């Protein structure tokens, strides 16, 4: 069954709990039967539906036992092997990080500068000029 080639349309068509494919390292796996057994919960896997889950899979640092399960779930190669699909978890993380940087960046620069300026003003005016 690993001789099959899975298209992007087919990958995206199988992202429900009844039929769920994920893309890891250019290979497509049918993880439908494993969704309820996943130690991290089904929502972790479901967030990667129709996308490249490689980054999310590797970031967690799955065990050798988890990796040993993959060959039994292999459907085939991904047709656009060199196409990089953004992972759902990676996209959410990037969005949170960019939002945090944009919101906190002004405060993180101006607060220390303001405190430093206040300190020098205090020293200047309190030592007698």
């Amino acid at each position: 069954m690993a001789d099959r080639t899975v298209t992007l349309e087919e990958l995206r068509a199988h992202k429900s709990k009844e039929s769920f494919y994920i893309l890891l390292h250019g290979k497509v796996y049918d993880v439908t039967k494993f969704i309820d057994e996943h130690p991290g919960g089904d929502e972790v896997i479901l967030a990667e539906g129709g996308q490249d889950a490689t980054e999310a899979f590797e970031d967690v640092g799955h065990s050798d036992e988890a990796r040993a399960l993959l060959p039994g779930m292999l459907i085939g190669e991904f047709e656009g092997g060199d196409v990089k699909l953004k992972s759902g978890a990676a996209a959410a993380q990037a969005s949170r990080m960019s939002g945090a940087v944009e919101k906190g960046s002004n405060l993180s620069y101006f607060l220390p500068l303001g405190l430093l300026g206040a300190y020098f003003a205090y020293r200047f005016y309190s030592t007698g000029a």
Side-chain angles (χ1 to χ4, degrees):
M1 201 153 145
D3 294 336
R4 248 179 91 194
T5 301
V6 180
T7 64
L8 178 60
E9 293 78 25
E10 187 178 358
L11 176 68
R12 290 198 170 149
H14 293 272
K15 58 181 186 179
S16 69
K17 268 187 124 172
E18 291 74 35
S19 179
F20 197 81
Y21 291 3
I22 60 168
L23 175 63
L24 294 174
H25 299 290
K27 296 181 179 179
V28 179
Y29 298 90
D30 182 356
V31 296
T32 308
K33 295 178 183 176
F34 186 71
I35 290 175
D36 292 328
E37 300 171 17
H38 187 259
D42 61 353
E43 65 276 351
V44 175
I45 295 178
L46 293 173
E48 299 301 322
Q51 302 172 55
D52 188 354
T54 303
E55 185 177 349
F57 183 83
E58 294 301 337
D59 284 350
V60 172
H62 282 85
S63 65
D64 291 337
E65 291 82 11
R67 293 174 190 279
L69 295 172
L70 290 176
M73 297 185 232
L74 182 64
I75 295 293
E77 296 286 327
F78 181 59
E79 182 179 61
D82 58 347
V83 174
K84 298 294 179 191
L85 299 174
K86 189 78 169 176
S87 163
Q93 178 69 11
S95 173
R96 283 193 302 271
M97 290 303 291
S98 68
V101 168
E102 289 171 7
K103 290 177 186 173
S105 62
N106 291 338
L107 184 62
S108 66
Y109 290 118
F110 293 119
L111 182 63
L113 287 175
L115 291 173
L116 188 61
Y119 170 75
F120 283 121
Y122 171 76
R123 295 280 296 177
F124 179 77
Y125 289 113
S126 66
T127 57

